[in-house]
Amino acid sequence: MRKLGALLALPLLPLVGASAMAHEVRPAYLDMRETEPDAFTVLWKVPAQGRMRLALDAHLPKQCVERATPTRTFEGSAYLERWTVDCAGGLREGEIVIDGLEATLTEALVRIEYENGGTEVGRLLPEAPSFTAAGAQTSLEVARTYFLLGVEHILLGFDHLIFVLALMLLIHDRLMLFKTITAFTVAHSITLAGASLGYFSLPQKPVEATIALSIAFVASELLKAKPNELRLSEAYPWLVAFAFGLLHGFGFSGALKEIGLPQSDVPLSLLTFNLGVEAGQLIFVAAALAIAGAARAIVSFRPALARRVIAYGIGTSAMLWLIPRIASLAA
């Protein structure tokens, strides 16, 4: 399995070099709540770094008129605008457009809450930056949006994927691989659920820094491994996966909260977002194993050397993530 892991990792080395992108692809968020017939409070939230924000602007349907100039603030890692609008005749068939989205790698989530209790959610992409309000949505349609957000978050969360890859390189057989991935899944599901439901929480910036340290730890375990001497991380990788999975769950929870979802959506968004994360993780593992099967045809392959090179790459990426995350703590 170690040889298999080294083989599968070679085509995935570009992920190791994607240090700057870990957890940086965050969605913008537009929240509209009907407080009285045809009147809505609006929150527009855009990812930001310091006082710099993505050049995204939300354009509401033509029938919506501002009551007052929006208030603008920076809070944490986001730029926020708040205002109130009157939309003659309501929002049905009205088009919402996110200007500038087509020039980014991110997306935008639109959530509309109507006075009658109905909810509508739309996911806007660079290639499809507009959304037409229908006036109502089924729970299945809302769940689909959050599920896709979960899949995207894990597949673009390179730090989480590289941690899974490093664990795969420590494993001897597929049964242990199954136990390890299951342990990681169970652990981050526990903290994702608990943190999202408000039972416990940790500050997000220290969590992100510690996630980078967890990757560095597993990389060091790869380098210290000896053929006839099993370390704890090799003998019981599921234990390591469970311990660090609890930590990674706080990272997933932070991503879910960062989108700006209100408490009324937490049960549905939590379940489907988590299912999306698991689906994305399984896609990654299956793709990696498929690549490994194809790569075994390489005759001159040296798995020990490749494994060492990959371990150094993973460790270097972890440190490149850790430094700016510690710097953000100091700031």
Side-chain angles (χ1 to χ4, degrees), residues 291-315:
I291 291 171
R296 277 188 290 185
I298 301 176
V299 177
S300 60
F301 185 74
R302 297 174 61 187
L305 176 61
R307 187 169 177 268
R308 194 167 187 81
V309 169
I310 294 164
Y312 275 115
I314 291 173

Side-chain angles (χ1 to χ4, degrees), residues 70 95 156 179 187 212 222 263:
E95 185 179 47
L156 293 178
K179 292 180 180 178
L222 281 170
Q263 285 297 310

